[in-house]
Amino acid sequence: MNHFAPSILSADFAHLKEDIDATVRGGTDYLHVDVMDGVFVPSISFGMPVLKCIRKATDLFLDVHLMITKPERYVEEFVKSGADLVTVHLETLENPKEVLEQIRAQGVKVGLAINPETPAEEIKPYLPYIDMALVMTVHPGFGGQSYIPECTEKISQIAGWIKEMDLSVDLEVDGGVKLDNVEMVLENGANVIVAGSAVFAGDIEKNTREFMDILKK
């Protein structure tokens, strides 16, 4: 099943609930929450207090993407704050399996992300321990970047391994996905699509609905 996860990093935080409600009217079922620490990635975004407010404002599935160093320090707090899925970056983990098990023990879904420069092969051993693999198709830290075409093969590779291993693992793509390239991303095996500026610039409800129409084909 395909899911669409608008990234609130591109939303207007002065009208955050209104923006989220507009994505709901457009038909989305997920919301992507980018947490940045200014260390692993250049930008600083927001943390638990904002997530708690979002959780109060919506029943959407909260897909929380931790772009932070030593994420294991904060897993429990993000779950308490309302995360339904916690994704950590393979590049930040000294003991990946241990951290994935830590997330699982909190009773939420487990995600593992890799950056554009990280070979697909590095995530393969951990696919049996996660619910979602996230392929970054831009360098994380800023919204509005262009999709990196070289990442398409990586999406296809990981999708192939998930099928070969007969795993029930979602494949999410985040970065530069727009209406003109989302079908290509889906055709290569992704089933969870993140979009930020392509949703929140302009008519949010209309933009969301247009993505949803493609995802439902």
PDB file of all heavy atoms in Angstrom, residues 182-216:
ATOM      1  N   VAL A 182       7.350  11.709  -9.144  1.00  0.00           N
ATOM      2  CA  VAL A 182       6.883  10.743  -8.141  1.00  0.00           C
ATOM      3  C   VAL A 182       6.531   9.389  -8.759  1.00  0.00           C
ATOM      4  O   VAL A 182       6.775   8.338  -8.156  1.00  0.00           O
ATOM      5  CB  VAL A 182       5.701  11.323  -7.317  1.00  0.00           C
ATOM      6  CG1 VAL A 182       4.475  11.562  -8.183  1.00  0.00           C
ATOM      7  CG2 VAL A 182       5.373  10.402  -6.142  1.00  0.00           C
ATOM      8  N   GLU A 183       6.003   9.376  -9.979  1.00  0.00           N
ATOM      9  CA  GLU A 183       5.674   8.093 -10.606  1.00  0.00           C
ATOM     10  C   GLU A 183       6.926   7.264 -10.840  1.00  0.00           C
ATOM     11  O   GLU A 183       6.926   6.048 -10.638  1.00  0.00           O
ATOM     12  CB  GLU A 183       4.929   8.328 -11.922  1.00  0.00           C
ATOM     13  CG  GLU A 183       3.495   8.802 -11.722  1.00  0.00           C
ATOM     14  CD  GLU A 183       2.692   8.790 -13.009  1.00  0.00           C
ATOM     15  OE1 GLU A 183       2.395   7.680 -13.499  1.00  0.00           O
ATOM     16  OE2 GLU A 183       2.359   9.861 -13.505  1.00  0.00           O
ATOM     17  N   MET A 184       8.014   7.912 -11.233  1.00  0.00           N
ATOM     18  CA  MET A 184       9.277   7.214 -11.438  1.00  0.00           C
ATOM     19  C   MET A 184       9.773   6.586 -10.144  1.00  0.00           C
ATOM     20  O   MET A 184      10.246   5.445 -10.125  1.00  0.00           O
ATOM     21  CB  MET A 184      10.313   8.202 -11.995  1.00  0.00           C
ATOM     22  CG  MET A 184      11.704   7.638 -12.197  1.00  0.00           C
ATOM     23  SD  MET A 184      12.765   7.795 -10.722  1.00  0.00           S
ATOM     24  CE  MET A 184      12.909   9.573 -10.594  1.00  0.00           C
ATOM     25  N   VAL A 185       9.639   7.324  -9.051  1.00  0.00           N
ATOM     26  CA  VAL A 185      10.066   6.817  -7.741  1.00  0.00           C
ATOM     27  C   VAL A 185       9.225   5.605  -7.341  1.00  0.00           C
ATOM     28  O   VAL A 185       9.750   4.589  -6.875  1.00  0.00           O
ATOM     29  CB  VAL A 185       9.973   7.940  -6.679  1.00  0.00           C
ATOM     30  CG1 VAL A 185      10.227   7.395  -5.285  1.00  0.00           C
ATOM     31  CG2 VAL A 185      10.967   9.059  -6.996  1.00  0.00           C
ATOM     32  N   LEU A 186       7.927   5.685  -7.563  1.00  0.00           N
ATOM     33  CA  LEU A 186       7.030   4.563  -7.250  1.00  0.00           C
ATOM     34  C   LEU A 186       7.348   3.347  -8.122  1.00  0.00           C
ATOM     35  O   LEU A 186       7.367   2.214  -7.639  1.00  0.00           O
ATOM     36  CB  LEU A 186       5.577   4.983  -7.451  1.00  0.00           C
ATOM     37  CG  LEU A 186       5.020   6.038  -6.488  1.00  0.00           C
ATOM     38  CD1 LEU A 186       3.684   6.581  -6.996  1.00  0.00           C
ATOM     39  CD2 LEU A 186       4.854   5.470  -5.080  1.00  0.00           C
ATOM     40  N   GLU A 187       7.614   3.583  -9.383  1.00  0.00           N
ATOM     41  CA  GLU A 187       7.902   2.486 -10.312  1.00  0.00           C
ATOM     42  C   GLU A 187       9.175   1.736  -9.915  1.00  0.00           C
ATOM     43  O   GLU A 187       9.337   0.560 -10.236  1.00  0.00           O
ATOM     44  CB  GLU A 187       8.024   3.025 -11.743  1.00  0.00           C
ATOM     45  CG  GLU A 187       6.694   3.402 -12.353  1.00  0.00           C
ATOM     46  CD  GLU A 187       6.827   4.230 -13.620  1.00  0.00           C
ATOM     47  OE1 GLU A 187       7.988   4.489 -14.044  1.00  0.00           O
ATOM     48  OE2 GLU A 187       5.800   4.634 -14.179  1.00  0.00           O
ATOM     49  N   ASN A 188      10.074   2.407  -9.214  1.00  0.00           N
ATOM     50  CA  ASN A 188      11.320   1.770  -8.788  1.00  0.00           C
ATOM     51  C   ASN A 188      11.198   1.074  -7.432  1.00  0.00           C
ATOM     52  O   ASN A 188      12.187   0.557  -6.923  1.00  0.00           O
ATOM     53  CB  ASN A 188      12.458   2.790  -8.787  1.00  0.00           C
ATOM     54  CG  ASN A 188      13.068   2.974 -10.160  1.00  0.00           C
ATOM     55  OD1 ASN A 188      13.909   2.190 -10.575  1.00  0.00           O
ATOM     56  ND2 ASN A 188      12.601   3.975 -10.883  1.00  0.00           N
ATOM     57  N   GLY A 189       9.999   1.077  -6.859  1.00  0.00           N
ATOM     58  CA  GLY A 189       9.752   0.250  -5.690  1.00  0.00           C
ATOM     59  C   GLY A 189       9.404   0.959  -4.403  1.00  0.00           C
ATOM     60  O   GLY A 189       9.089   0.308  -3.406  1.00  0.00           O
ATOM     61  N   ALA A 190       9.450   2.279  -4.388  1.00  0.00           N
ATOM     62  CA  ALA A 190       9.069   3.000  -3.174  1.00  0.00           C
ATOM     63  C   ALA A 190       7.562   2.934  -2.972  1.00  0.00           C
ATOM     64  O   ALA A 190       6.801   2.883  -3.939  1.00  0.00           O
ATOM     65  CB  ALA A 190       9.511   4.454  -3.255  1.00  0.00           C
ATOM     66  N   ASN A 191       7.131   2.931  -1.703  1.00  0.00           N
ATOM     67  CA  ASN A 191       5.686   2.973  -1.443  1.00  0.00           C
ATOM     68  C   ASN A 191       5.300   3.998  -0.380  1.00  0.00           C
ATOM     69  O   ASN A 191       4.129   4.155  -0.071  1.00  0.00           O
ATOM     70  CB  ASN A 191       5.163   1.585  -1.040  1.00  0.00           C
ATOM     71  CG  ASN A 191       5.570   1.178   0.362  1.00  0.00           C
ATOM     72  OD1 ASN A 191       6.755   1.146   0.683  1.00  0.00           O
ATOM     73  ND2 ASN A 191       4.601   0.860   1.211  1.00  0.00           N
ATOM     74  N   VAL A 192       6.295   4.713   0.175  1.00  0.00           N
ATOM     75  CA  VAL A 192       6.017   5.828   1.081  1.00  0.00           C
ATOM     76  C   VAL A 192       6.766   7.044   0.535  1.00  0.00           C
ATOM     77  O   VAL A 192       7.991   7.000   0.373  1.00  0.00           O
ATOM     78  CB  VAL A 192       6.458   5.531   2.531  1.00  0.00           C
ATOM     79  CG1 VAL A 192       6.089   6.705   3.443  1.00  0.00           C
ATOM     80  CG2 VAL A 192       5.817   4.250   3.048  1.00  0.00           C
ATOM     81  N   ILE A 193       6.028   8.089   0.239  1.00  0.00           N
ATOM     82  CA  ILE A 193       6.605   9.265  -0.414  1.00  0.00           C
ATOM     83  C   ILE A 193       6.545  10.466   0.515  1.00  0.00           C
ATOM     84  O   ILE A 193       5.480  10.814   1.042  1.00  0.00           O
ATOM     85  CB  ILE A 193       5.830   9.602  -1.711  1.00  0.00           C
ATOM     86  CG1 ILE A 193       5.857   8.412  -2.671  1.00  0.00           C
ATOM     87  CG2 ILE A 193       6.386  10.865  -2.357  1.00  0.00           C
ATOM     88  CD1 ILE A 193       7.225   8.007  -3.164  1.00  0.00           C
ATOM     89  N   VAL A 194       7.698  11.104   0.704  1.00  0.00           N
ATOM     90  CA  VAL A 194       7.779  12.335   1.483  1.00  0.00           C
ATOM     91  C   VAL A 194       7.902  13.515   0.525  1.00  0.00           C
ATOM     92  O   VAL A 194       8.666  13.455  -0.444  1.00  0.00           O
ATOM     93  CB  VAL A 194       9.008  12.312   2.426  1.00  0.00           C
ATOM     94  CG1 VAL A 194       9.123  13.630   3.195  1.00  0.00           C
ATOM     95  CG2 VAL A 194       8.925  11.142   3.390  1.00  0.00           C
ATOM     96  N   ALA A 195       7.154  14.565   0.781  1.00  0.00           N
ATOM     97  CA  ALA A 195       7.300  15.797   0.009  1.00  0.00           C
ATOM     98  C   ALA A 195       7.054  16.977   0.938  1.00  0.00           C
ATOM     99  O   ALA A 195       6.165  16.916   1.800  1.00  0.00           O
ATOM    100  CB  ALA A 195       6.329  15.829  -1.173  1.00  0.00           C
ATOM    101  N   GLY A 196       7.831  18.017   0.782  1.00  0.00           N
ATOM    102  CA  GLY A 196       7.708  19.191   1.643  1.00  0.00           C
ATOM    103  C   GLY A 196       7.259  20.421   0.888  1.00  0.00           C
ATOM    104  O   GLY A 196       6.084  20.783   0.886  1.00  0.00           O
ATOM    105  N   SER A 197       8.201  21.062   0.207  1.00  0.00           N
ATOM    106  CA  SER A 197       7.874  22.293  -0.506  1.00  0.00           C
ATOM    107  C   SER A 197       6.851  22.049  -1.608  1.00  0.00           C
ATOM    108  O   SER A 197       6.042  22.930  -1.917  1.00  0.00           O
ATOM    109  CB  SER A 197       9.148  22.921  -1.095  1.00  0.00           C
ATOM    110  OG  SER A 197       9.862  21.991  -1.892  1.00  0.00           O
ATOM    111  N   ALA A 198       6.844  20.850  -2.194  1.00  0.00           N
ATOM    112  CA  ALA A 198       5.870  20.540  -3.244  1.00  0.00           C
ATOM    113  C   ALA A 198       4.448  20.467  -2.711  1.00  0.00           C
ATOM    114  O   ALA A 198       3.492  20.530  -3.472  1.00  0.00           O
ATOM    115  CB  ALA A 198       6.242  19.216  -3.921  1.00  0.00           C
ATOM    116  N   VAL A 199       4.311  20.357  -1.389  1.00  0.00           N
ATOM    117  CA  VAL A 199       2.988  20.322  -0.755  1.00  0.00           C
ATOM    118  C   VAL A 199       2.615  21.681  -0.181  1.00  0.00           C
ATOM    119  O   VAL A 199       1.518  22.205  -0.422  1.00  0.00           O
ATOM    120  CB  VAL A 199       2.956  19.271   0.376  1.00  0.00           C
ATOM    121  CG1 VAL A 199       1.622  19.331   1.133  1.00  0.00           C
ATOM    122  CG2 VAL A 199       3.194  17.880  -0.169  1.00  0.00           C
ATOM    123  N   PHE A 200       3.529  22.263   0.579  1.00  0.00           N
ATOM    124  CA  PHE A 200       3.187  23.428   1.391  1.00  0.00           C
ATOM    125  C   PHE A 200       3.371  24.769   0.687  1.00  0.00           C
ATOM    126  O   PHE A 200       3.033  25.809   1.252  1.00  0.00           O
ATOM    127  CB  PHE A 200       3.965  23.390   2.706  1.00  0.00           C
ATOM    128  CG  PHE A 200       3.519  22.272   3.618  1.00  0.00           C
ATOM    129  CD1 PHE A 200       4.258  21.111   3.736  1.00  0.00           C
ATOM    130  CD2 PHE A 200       2.327  22.367   4.324  1.00  0.00           C
ATOM    131  CE1 PHE A 200       3.838  20.071   4.565  1.00  0.00           C
ATOM    132  CE2 PHE A 200       1.897  21.340   5.149  1.00  0.00           C
ATOM    133  CZ  PHE A 200       2.658  20.195   5.266  1.00  0.00           C
ATOM    134  N   ALA A 201       3.899  24.754  -0.542  1.00  0.00           N
ATOM    135  CA  ALA A 201       3.974  25.991  -1.336  1.00  0.00           C
ATOM    136  C   ALA A 201       2.717  26.076  -2.195  1.00  0.00           C
ATOM    137  O   ALA A 201       2.506  25.252  -3.078  1.00  0.00           O
ATOM    138  CB  ALA A 201       5.221  25.990  -2.210  1.00  0.00           C
ATOM    139  N   GLY A 202       1.863  27.040  -1.893  1.00  0.00           N
ATOM    140  CA  GLY A 202       0.637  27.186  -2.664  1.00  0.00           C
ATOM    141  C   GLY A 202      -0.556  26.554  -1.976  1.00  0.00           C
ATOM    142  O   GLY A 202      -0.687  26.598  -0.751  1.00  0.00           O
ATOM    143  N   ASP A 203      -1.426  25.946  -2.765  1.00  0.00           N
ATOM    144  CA  ASP A 203      -2.675  25.346  -2.260  1.00  0.00           C
ATOM    145  C   ASP A 203      -2.369  23.962  -1.686  1.00  0.00           C
ATOM    146  O   ASP A 203      -2.223  22.979  -2.425  1.00  0.00           O
ATOM    147  CB  ASP A 203      -3.687  25.259  -3.400  1.00  0.00           C
ATOM    148  CG  ASP A 203      -5.075  24.825  -2.930  1.00  0.00           C
ATOM    149  OD1 ASP A 203      -5.168  24.058  -1.950  1.00  0.00           O
ATOM    150  OD2 ASP A 203      -6.069  25.241  -3.557  1.00  0.00           O
ATOM    151  N   ILE A 204      -2.273  23.862  -0.377  1.00  0.00           N
ATOM    152  CA  ILE A 204      -1.834  22.632   0.282  1.00  0.00           C
ATOM    153  C   ILE A 204      -2.799  21.481   0.015  1.00  0.00           C
ATOM    154  O   ILE A 204      -2.379  20.361  -0.296  1.00  0.00           O
ATOM    155  CB  ILE A 204      -1.685  22.874   1.801  1.00  0.00           C
ATOM    156  CG1 ILE A 204      -0.615  23.936   2.056  1.00  0.00           C
ATOM    157  CG2 ILE A 204      -1.352  21.578   2.531  1.00  0.00           C
ATOM    158  CD1 ILE A 204      -0.591  24.442   3.491  1.00  0.00           C
ATOM    159  N   GLU A 205      -4.080  21.743   0.153  1.00  0.00           N
ATOM    160  CA  GLU A 205      -5.075  20.685  -0.061  1.00  0.00           C
ATOM    161  C   GLU A 205      -5.000  20.162  -1.499  1.00  0.00           C
ATOM    162  O   GLU A 205      -4.990  18.950  -1.731  1.00  0.00           O
ATOM    163  CB  GLU A 205      -6.474  21.211   0.240  1.00  0.00           C
ATOM    164  CG  GLU A 205      -7.555  20.162   0.065  1.00  0.00           C
ATOM    165  CD  GLU A 205      -8.957  20.691   0.398  1.00  0.00           C
ATOM    166  OE1 GLU A 205      -9.063  21.750   1.049  1.00  0.00           O
ATOM    167  OE2 GLU A 205      -9.940  20.035  -0.004  1.00  0.00           O
ATOM    168  N   LYS A 206      -4.931  21.078  -2.459  1.00  0.00           N
ATOM    169  CA  LYS A 206      -4.867  20.685  -3.871  1.00  0.00           C
ATOM    170  C   LYS A 206      -3.578  19.918  -4.162  1.00  0.00           C
ATOM    171  O   LYS A 206      -3.603  18.879  -4.840  1.00  0.00           O
ATOM    172  CB  LYS A 206      -4.944  21.934  -4.748  1.00  0.00           C
ATOM    173  CG  LYS A 206      -4.798  21.685  -6.247  1.00  0.00           C
ATOM    174  CD  LYS A 206      -4.976  22.988  -7.012  1.00  0.00           C
ATOM    175  CE  LYS A 206      -4.771  22.806  -8.514  1.00  0.00           C
ATOM    176  NZ  LYS A 206      -3.333  22.580  -8.844  1.00  0.00           N
ATOM    177  N   ASN A 207      -2.458  20.411  -3.660  1.00  0.00           N
ATOM    178  CA  ASN A 207      -1.175  19.735  -3.889  1.00  0.00           C
ATOM    179  C   ASN A 207      -1.193  18.318  -3.326  1.00  0.00           C
ATOM    180  O   ASN A 207      -0.736  17.370  -3.968  1.00  0.00           O
ATOM    181  CB  ASN A 207      -0.036  20.529  -3.253  1.00  0.00           C
ATOM    182  CG  ASN A 207       0.181  21.879  -3.896  1.00  0.00           C
ATOM    183  OD1 ASN A 207      -0.216  22.098  -5.040  1.00  0.00           O
ATOM    184  ND2 ASN A 207       0.817  22.788  -3.175  1.00  0.00           N
ATOM    185  N   THR A 208      -1.743  18.185  -2.110  1.00  0.00           N
ATOM    186  CA  THR A 208      -1.816  16.864  -1.478  1.00  0.00           C
ATOM    187  C   THR A 208      -2.698  15.936  -2.297  1.00  0.00           C
ATOM    188  O   THR A 208      -2.348  14.771  -2.542  1.00  0.00           O
ATOM    189  CB  THR A 208      -2.374  16.981  -0.043  1.00  0.00           C
ATOM    190  OG1 THR A 208      -1.556  17.876   0.713  1.00  0.00           O
ATOM    191  CG2 THR A 208      -2.407  15.623   0.639  1.00  0.00           C
ATOM    192  N   ARG A 209      -3.818  16.430  -2.735  1.00  0.00           N
ATOM    193  CA  ARG A 209      -4.750  15.599  -3.496  1.00  0.00           C
ATOM    194  C   ARG A 209      -4.121  15.125  -4.808  1.00  0.00           C
ATOM    195  O   ARG A 209      -4.330  13.970  -5.233  1.00  0.00           O
ATOM    196  CB  ARG A 209      -6.051  16.367  -3.775  1.00  0.00           C
ATOM    197  CG  ARG A 209      -7.142  15.493  -4.414  1.00  0.00           C
ATOM    198  CD  ARG A 209      -8.451  16.228  -4.573  1.00  0.00           C
ATOM    199  NE  ARG A 209      -9.042  16.537  -3.283  1.00  0.00           N
ATOM    200  CZ  ARG A 209      -9.179  17.773  -2.788  1.00  0.00           C
ATOM    201  NH1 ARG A 209      -8.766  18.818  -3.492  1.00  0.00           N
ATOM    202  NH2 ARG A 209      -9.725  17.971  -1.610  1.00  0.00           N
ATOM    203  N   GLU A 210      -3.338  16.005  -5.436  1.00  0.00           N
ATOM    204  CA  GLU A 210      -2.705  15.612  -6.692  1.00  0.00           C
ATOM    205  C   GLU A 210      -1.685  14.499  -6.480  1.00  0.00           C
ATOM    206  O   GLU A 210      -1.574  13.567  -7.297  1.00  0.00           O
ATOM    207  CB  GLU A 210      -2.056  16.834  -7.359  1.00  0.00           C
ATOM    208  CG  GLU A 210      -3.077  17.802  -7.923  1.00  0.00           C
ATOM    209  CD  GLU A 210      -2.445  19.060  -8.511  1.00  0.00           C
ATOM    210  OE1 GLU A 210      -1.247  19.319  -8.243  1.00  0.00           O
ATOM    211  OE2 GLU A 210      -3.142  19.765  -9.267  1.00  0.00           O
ATOM    212  N   PHE A 211      -0.928  14.564  -5.385  1.00  0.00           N
ATOM    213  CA  PHE A 211      -0.019  13.465  -5.047  1.00  0.00           C
ATOM    214  C   PHE A 211      -0.805  12.186  -4.774  1.00  0.00           C
ATOM    215  O   PHE A 211      -0.453  11.100  -5.244  1.00  0.00           O
ATOM    216  CB  PHE A 211       0.837  13.819  -3.831  1.00  0.00           C
ATOM    217  CG  PHE A 211       2.110  14.541  -4.140  1.00  0.00           C
ATOM    218  CD1 PHE A 211       2.234  15.906  -3.928  1.00  0.00           C
ATOM    219  CD2 PHE A 211       3.212  13.852  -4.637  1.00  0.00           C
ATOM    220  CE1 PHE A 211       3.424  16.573  -4.208  1.00  0.00           C
ATOM    221  CE2 PHE A 211       4.402  14.493  -4.915  1.00  0.00           C
ATOM    222  CZ  PHE A 211       4.516  15.871  -4.703  1.00  0.00           C
ATOM    223  N   MET A 212      -1.866  12.327  -3.985  1.00  0.00           N
ATOM    224  CA  MET A 212      -2.660  11.157  -3.600  1.00  0.00           C
ATOM    225  C   MET A 212      -3.277  10.482  -4.841  1.00  0.00           C
ATOM    226  O   MET A 212      -3.356   9.255  -4.910  1.00  0.00           O
ATOM    227  CB  MET A 212      -3.757  11.549  -2.615  1.00  0.00           C
ATOM    228  CG  MET A 212      -3.264  11.938  -1.225  1.00  0.00           C
ATOM    229  SD  MET A 212      -2.308  10.640  -0.403  1.00  0.00           S
ATOM    230  CE  MET A 212      -3.484   9.295  -0.357  1.00  0.00           C
ATOM    231  N   ASP A 213      -3.696  11.266  -5.808  1.00  0.00           N
ATOM    232  CA  ASP A 213      -4.275  10.691  -7.021  1.00  0.00           C
ATOM    233  C   ASP A 213      -3.260   9.792  -7.731  1.00  0.00           C
ATOM    234  O   ASP A 213      -3.603   8.730  -8.267  1.00  0.00           O
ATOM    235  CB  ASP A 213      -4.736  11.809  -7.977  1.00  0.00           C
ATOM    236  CG  ASP A 213      -6.000  12.514  -7.490  1.00  0.00           C
ATOM    237  OD1 ASP A 213      -6.677  11.956  -6.597  1.00  0.00           O
ATOM    238  OD2 ASP A 213      -6.291  13.608  -7.990  1.00  0.00           O
ATOM    239  N   ILE A 214      -1.987  10.215  -7.739  1.00  0.00           N
ATOM    240  CA  ILE A 214      -0.944   9.413  -8.376  1.00  0.00           C
ATOM    241  C   ILE A 214      -0.658   8.164  -7.543  1.00  0.00           C
ATOM    242  O   ILE A 214      -0.513   7.061  -8.081  1.00  0.00           O
ATOM    243  CB  ILE A 214       0.339  10.249  -8.571  1.00  0.00           C
ATOM    244  CG1 ILE A 214       0.088  11.399  -9.544  1.00  0.00           C
ATOM    245  CG2 ILE A 214       1.495   9.372  -9.056  1.00  0.00           C
ATOM    246  CD1 ILE A 214       1.209  12.410  -9.653  1.00  0.00           C
ATOM    247  N   LEU A 215      -0.586   8.317  -6.225  1.00  0.00           N
ATOM    248  CA  LEU A 215      -0.282   7.187  -5.356  1.00  0.00           C
ATOM    249  C   LEU A 215      -1.378   6.116  -5.378  1.00  0.00           C
ATOM    250  O   LEU A 215      -1.111   4.948  -5.111  1.00  0.00           O
ATOM    251  CB  LEU A 215      -0.046   7.650  -3.919  1.00  0.00           C
ATOM    252  CG  LEU A 215       1.406   7.947  -3.532  1.00  0.00           C
ATOM    253  CD1 LEU A 215       1.958   9.134  -4.305  1.00  0.00           C
ATOM    254  CD2 LEU A 215       1.546   8.184  -2.047  1.00  0.00           C
ATOM    255  N   LYS A 216      -2.596   6.534  -5.682  1.00  0.00           N
ATOM    256  CA  LYS A 216      -3.715   5.583  -5.691  1.00  0.00           C
ATOM    257  C   LYS A 216      -3.874   4.844  -7.022  1.00  0.00           C
ATOM    258  O   LYS A 216      -4.687   3.922  -7.111  1.00  0.00           O
ATOM    259  CB  LYS A 216      -5.029   6.334  -5.374  1.00  0.00           C
ATOM    260  CG  LYS A 216      -5.151   6.773  -3.928  1.00  0.00           C
ATOM    261  CD  LYS A 216      -6.440   7.580  -3.746  1.00  0.00           C
ATOM    262  CE  LYS A 216      -6.607   8.028  -2.294  1.00  0.00           C
ATOM    263  NZ  LYS A 216      -7.813   8.879  -2.154  1.00  0.00           N
TER     264      LYS A 216
END
